[in-house]
Amino acid sequence: MLSIKNLHASIEGTPILRGINLEVKPGEVHAIMGPNGSGKSTLASVLAGREEYEVTEGEVSFLGKDLLELAPEDRAREGVFLAFQYPVEIPGVSSTNFLRTAVNQVREYRGLDALDAVKFLTIMKEKMKLVEIDQKLLSRSLNEGFSGGEKKRNEIFQMAMLEPKLAILDETDSGLDIDALRVVSNGVNKLKSPDNATIVVTHYQRLLDYIVPDYVHVLYKGRIVKSGTKELALELEEKGYDWIKEEVDAAV
Amino acid sequence: MTTITKHKITDLFLQNKPLTQNFENLRKMGLETLEIKGLPALKEEEYKFTQISKRLDQQITNFKAAQPASLNKELIQKAIFEGFEGDIIVFNNGEFVPTLSTVSHQNYSFSLLSDSKSEILGSIAKVENDPFVALNNLSFKDGAFISVPKGKKVEKPIFLLHFNQANQGQVINQRVLIDVAESAEVTFLENTISLDEEVYFSNSVVEVRVAQNSHAHYYRLQNENRKAIVVNNFVTDIHRDATFTSVATQLQGGMLRNNLTMNLLDSGCEGNMYGLYLLNGKTHVDNHTNVDHTKPHADSNELYKGILADSSRGVFNGKIFVRQDAQKTNAFQQNNNILLSEEAIINTKPQLEIWADDVKCSHGCTTGQLDEEALFYLQARGIGKEQARGLLLFAFAGEVMEHISYEPFQLYCTNLIQERLGSKF
Ligand SMILES: Nc1ncnc2c1ncn2[C@@H]1O[C@H](COP(=O)(O)OP(=O)(O)OP(=O)(O)O)[C@@H](O)[C@H]1O
Ligand SMILES: [Mg+2]
């Protein structure tokens, strides 16, 4: 589904990603962990099409298409979804209007009819239950004045509405209390299917008790330096990253 | 005289005889003032960024009053927007057109200034405040007088509809006097239609008295041709417990200068000023606003927002004057701008002069680009770049439109704005 080969990316001339290789197949859950500043969000942003990052080498294909060729909106329409680490507050844009515009543009791209207001609301109500999000939040401007937890919940709600094929969750769990974490992970799990895949970026093993990964990767200094199964996450939880850093730095 | 030569002004002045003694007096005052001060010189602080005299010198070759243009019912029909119900007062190059207007006199009265007995003409907009008031004084032929009697509410808005076109002269003089009596209520709409793409100079003065405990709203749209030179002096005297709200939207013109003044003359009164300028091409818009707090417990609120594209230019100057007597004043001012191109320029300046010590005043101005993070966020959800830009810009601009409480006009302006923002800006 997603195939990343030797991906290098830099920002303002500073290399951040230095040769990422990753294969994700339908139905799989991949966890990406790693110390602060190792490039996790950069990878997520590059996949979503953020223009500030310059891809200097490598390729990414998504369902057979060259992902890097596509505009951010077309990536989303093809089925890539990024849950932002820091969702943006947009005053003056109502959550509902925004979502309806987004859903209908995605549908149009996929050759489906636009949803009318009634249908849209029905689907919205249904998905709201999934992530236990309050109607009141959605009548406000997009993310404006939302708490950290509410923003994260809203990301998952948007994901539910857009039904992506590949979801990239960038620290969706950070800062959530246990109840919110349970709700958010339940939402993600309910949306999982044999046809879609998930990449979860996280610092905390506890998320992986809820969203069980097939693979765990460690990103460090812009490279995936170790891959394993969920046991690797437990080991990291116990021992931290120093041993990996030492291994890598010794090899250089 | 500085730039506009004396004989040009004299031409204008000689064109018609004053219709009343009052007009004659105003003309004298205007002439005296202009003889001393002249029109703003290049270095004149108040007109530093808006070289209107220079523009007039270069572009107005026929400094004479424009003669009435040819108008018809279809033009009026075209200017009416969906949902509008109310009276329309039509002006043709500043002259009232009875045959095309609908004046019901329901809870208000309308007359020509020359027929009115009102003595306040010229006492609200004073010649010393701005040389263009003086120029208007000596050149207007006649004008409109609208009064709302005590305790009456004009249920439907009164629409002042101007048609402008250079015609055997390029100068258009407009003069309007509005008198809202105690505890009365009224809403005005104003729009100006340019009949062609030729340059004209429209110099208007609107004076409004909002008497004790009354409420008045004035919603104005400026969407004139790309050469139009416009100076507007809009002055209101707001009395005890009265509220006046102005919402001014500028979409197009050559060079537009608006001087909006609110004199808060007593306690309990409120002056609200909202403005939106969406500029492209070479349009130059200058909003100079001025609030004068004279007595305790009065409030003023001001929000002006601008989006500037291409090589357009915006000027915002917001003066708040709080006199020593005006304790417990609340005065708020905001000016926010988005620049969409490297060539667009905005000059923004708050000007606070506060002589009382127990007041709440705040002001702020921002100038920035479109929020790229927000743009990416919307795109990452599948919204096309152009539409995402439109959504964000409209979110920014829409806040001003919310203050237009007459819904059909709000919708009309909103549609114009969305059309502009949705297309290439
Ligand atoms: N806009 C930018 N300009 C310059 N450097 C940047 C920019 N964005 C990120 N970086 C740098 O790139 C590196 C990787 O950042 P990134 O946000 O991808 O890390 P991360 O692994 O997601 O970290 P965290 O765990 O803190 O979220 C960091 O050193 C960061 O300082
Ligand atoms: Mg990160």
Side-chain angles (χ1 to χ4, degrees):
Chain A
M1 168 179 263
L2 178 75
S3 167
I4 306 177
K5 293 207 173 85
N6 191 32
L7 182 65
H8 289 250
S10 54
I11 185 151
E12 287 158 12
T14 313
I16 310 283
L17 301 183
R18 304 148 179 270
I20 303 262
N21 291 292
L22 184 67
E23 293 288 331
V24 179
K25 296 197 177 65
E28 290 179 349
V29 176
H30 289 245
I32 296 179
M33 303 180 80
N36 292 118
S38 57
K40 302 182 298 295
S41 294
T42 304
L43 175 61
S45 298
V46 168
L47 293 177
R50 188 162 206 142
E51 278 161 15
E52 286 97 316
Y53 297 96
E54 193 197 346
V55 174
T56 50
E57 223 184 306
E59 52 198 61
V60 180
S61 81
F62 175 67
L63 296 170
K65 287 194 176 140
D66 181 354
L67 192 69
L68 301 176
E69 281 289 298
L70 299 176
E73 57 268 35
D74 286 339
R75 299 182 192 198
R77 294 161 181 175
E78 288 285 348
V80 175
F81 181 90
L82 169 63
F84 285 62
Q85 182 173 6
Y86 305 108
V88 187
E89 299 199 11
I90 310 188
V93 172
S94 96
S95 298
T96 314
N97 264 347
F98 148 73
L99 255 185
R100 207 173 138 201
T101 309
V103 166
N104 281 335
Q105 291 212 353
V106 169
R107 288 179 66 91
E108 192 187 332
Y109 185 87
R110 296 179 186 168
L112 302 167
D113 286 340
L115 294 176
D116 62 35
V118 178
K119 272 211 193 107
F120 176 77
L121 279 178
T122 317
I123 296 177
M124 204 170 104
K125 290 239 165 71
E126 190 186 300
K127 307 284 185 182
M128 276 163 58
K129 272 196 216 123
L130 201 70
V131 289
E132 300 176 30
I133 195 167
D134 196 340
Q135 172 92 53
K136 269 188 230 132
L137 277 185
L138 299 178
S139 60
R140 302 203 332 227
S141 283
L142 187 51
N143 291 327
E144 194 186 26
F146 286 26
S147 72
E150 287 168 340
K151 282 181 187 160
K152 298 293 173 84
R153 216 178 270 216
N154 195 19
E155 292 293 288
I156 300 307
F157 170 62
Q158 291 173 25
M159 171 177 142
M161 291 299 294
L162 292 168
E163 301 181 324
K165 299 195 184 95
L166 173 69
I168 305 162
L169 313 181
D170 191 0
E171 299 205 22
T172 303
D173 58 323
S174 295
L176 294 187
D177 61 30
I178 299 281
D179 283 341
L181 179 67
R182 191 184 39 77
V183 170
V184 164
S185 340
N186 269 346
V188 173
N189 285 331
K190 279 187 201 150
L191 296 168
K192 247 171 42 185
S193 85
D195 301 327
N196 58 33
T198 313
I199 297 174
V200 288
V201 173
T202 184
H203 280 287
Y204 307 103
Q205 194 277 330
R206 87 182 167 163
L207 172 70
L208 306 178
D209 289 341
Y210 295 91
I211 304 174
V212 183
D214 300 298
Y215 301 96
V216 175
H217 311 278
V218 178
L219 194 65
Y220 177 56
K221 290 191 174 168
R223 281 196 196 97
I224 291 180
V225 295
K226 209 168 192 65
S227 293
T229 53
K230 61 177 193 271
E231 282 70 32
L232 176 58
L234 288 169
E235 197 178 352
L236 292 170
E237 176 82 355
E238 198 183 309
K239 303 204 292 196
Y241 290 106
D242 286 351
W243 62 284
I244 290 185
K245 289 185 189 172
E246 277 162 25
E247 262 182 43
V248 174
D249 295 338
V252 176
Chain B
M1 296 288 141
T2 44
T3 50
I4 294 294
T5 54
K6 192 170 177 175
H7 77 265
K8 281 190 179 173
I9 287 178
T10 318
D11 279 354
L12 200 61
F13 152 72
L14 287 176
Q15 228 179 329
N16 44 51
K17 286 212 149 35
L19 295 172
T20 71
Q21 184 58 44
N22 197 2
F23 289 9
E24 170 98 55
N25 297 341
L26 288 177
R27 175 178 286 197
K28 262 189 207 140
M29 279 197 288
L31 200 62
E32 275 164 24
T33 308
L34 277 184
E35 268 168 354
I36 299 164
K37 285 169 81 177
L39 292 182
L42 289 181
K43 295 220 170 67
E44 163 73 40
E45 184 64 25
E46 285 288 306
Y47 282 83
K48 184 164 69 174
F49 297 119
T50 302
Q51 300 288 343
I52 204 110
S53 305
K54 189 171 156 197
R55 177 80 62 122
L56 292 175
D57 255 355
Q58 288 168 348
Q59 301 195 2
I60 303 296
T61 46
N62 192 357
F63 210 83
K64 280 206 182 88
Q67 296 308 302
S70 81
L71 291 186
N72 54 48
K73 277 214 169 65
E74 284 70 53
L75 284 168
I76 316 291
Q77 281 307 320
K78 253 173 66 185
I80 297 175
F81 46 89
E82 207 180 310
F84 173 77
E85 276 178 50
D87 284 2
I88 305 179
I89 300 178
V90 176
F91 298 88
N92 183 349
N93 282 339
E95 261 181 54
F96 170 60
V97 188
T99 51
L100 293 173
S101 301
T102 44
V103 183
S104 68
H105 289 280
Q106 264 187 24
N107 286 347
Y108 77 96
S109 73
F110 172 89
S111 74
L112 290 174
L113 273 176
S114 55
D115 292 333
S116 92
K117 299 271 173 310
S118 178
E119 279 159 13
I120 58 174
L121 184 71
S123 70
I124 300 171
K126 300 190 179 79
V127 284
E128 59 268 29
N129 293 348
D130 188 82
F132 289 97
V133 173
L135 184 66
N136 183 280
N137 267 9
L138 63 86
S139 43
F140 77 83
K141 195 168 150 199
D142 206 342
F145 174 62
I146 298 165
S147 66
V148 185
K150 188 172 166 179
K152 294 291 184 199
K153 177 177 181 182
V154 184
E155 295 288 346
K156 290 172 181 159
I158 300 172
F159 187 6
L160 307 177
L161 181 57
H162 293 274
F163 290 91
N164 288 353
Q165 181 181 39
N167 183 19
Q168 301 165 55
Q170 294 172 289
V171 183
I172 296 162
N173 302 296
Q174 299 168 359
R175 187 87 183 202
V176 174
L177 175 63
I178 294 169
D179 194 3
V180 186
E182 193 181 316
S183 301
E185 219 173 304
V186 63
T187 296
F188 292 94
L189 315 175
E190 185 191 317
N191 193 9
T192 302
I193 313 262
S194 306
L195 290 171
D196 62 20
E197 298 300 314
E198 297 306 313
V199 59
Y200 56 76
F201 167 46
S202 148
N203 182 29
S204 65
V205 173
V206 180
E207 295 176 272
V208 186
R209 173 162 72 180
V210 195
Q212 190 165 346
N213 204 36
S214 62
H215 284 77
H217 311 263
Y218 201 102
Y219 306 132
R220 175 161 192 240
L221 179 64
Q222 287 175 285
N223 193 10
E224 304 187 32
N225 77 33
R226 293 202 172 273
K227 291 182 185 158
I229 306 169
V230 178
V231 177
N232 173 252
N233 274 285
F234 193 111
V235 189
T236 50
D237 278 358
I238 308 174
H239 293 266
R240 194 180 181 92
D241 302 324
T243 299
F244 184 80
T245 301
S246 156
V247 184
T249 307
Q250 293 108 30
L251 298 181
Q252 191 175 284
M255 182 178 267
L256 312 182
R257 164 68 175 242
N258 296 318
N259 297 320
L260 173 62
T261 298
M262 296 204 180
N263 298 314
L264 302 176
L265 297 177
D266 210 335
S267 297
C269 65
E270 184 180 318
N272 303 308
M273 311 175 152
Y274 303 103
L276 175 68
Y277 38 101
L278 291 192
L279 314 180
N280 61 14
K282 289 185 172 158
T283 297
H284 178 128
V285 170
D286 179 344
N287 282 296
H288 262 63
T289 67
N290 182 10
V291 194
D292 189 358
H293 283 264
T294 57
K295 290 279 155 57
H297 293 287
D299 297 348
S300 64
N301 300 293
E302 176 164 30
L303 173 68
Y304 269 70
K305 287 188 152 189
I307 300 176
L308 295 92
D310 304 336
S311 47
S312 61
R313 173 139 191 199
V315 181
F316 174 80
N317 189 99
K319 194 187 281 180
I320 300 177
F321 197 82
V322 182
R323 297 182 191 237
Q324 202 169 2
D325 229 14
Q327 301 295 355
K328 307 282 180 193
T329 283
N330 290 309
F332 301 105
Q333 181 188 90
Q334 263 297 325
N335 174 237
N336 309 110
N337 301 286
I338 293 180
L339 299 180
L340 293 178
S341 93
E342 304 249 321
E343 285 77 43
I345 301 175
I346 176 80
N347 302 101
T348 167
K349 182 174 154 206
Q351 213 182 331
L352 273 60
E353 235 181 278
I354 299 171
W355 297 95
D357 46 34
D358 186 11
V359 299
K360 269 200 204 120
C361 280
S362 77
H363 69 92
C365 56
T366 60
T367 297
Q369 272 82 40
L370 190 66
D371 182 348
E372 293 290 333
E373 296 241 348
L375 188 64
F376 177 65
Y377 188 78
L378 296 181
Q379 283 181 275
R381 295 296 175 256
I383 301 177
K385 190 170 189 174
E386 282 305 305
Q387 191 152 357
R389 271 167 64 96
L391 263 177
L392 290 175
L393 291 173
F394 183 71
F396 173 82
E399 191 185 356
V400 174
M401 292 299 102
E402 282 165 23
H403 294 283
I404 298 179
S405 59
Y406 178 60
E407 208 171 305
F409 196 64
Q410 186 195 52
L411 272 175
Y412 175 64
C413 294
T414 299
N415 282 336
L416 288 177
I417 290 165
Q418 281 181 324
E419 243 169 59
R420 174 76 74 80
L421 296 177
S423 61
K424 191 210 157 276
F425 199 87

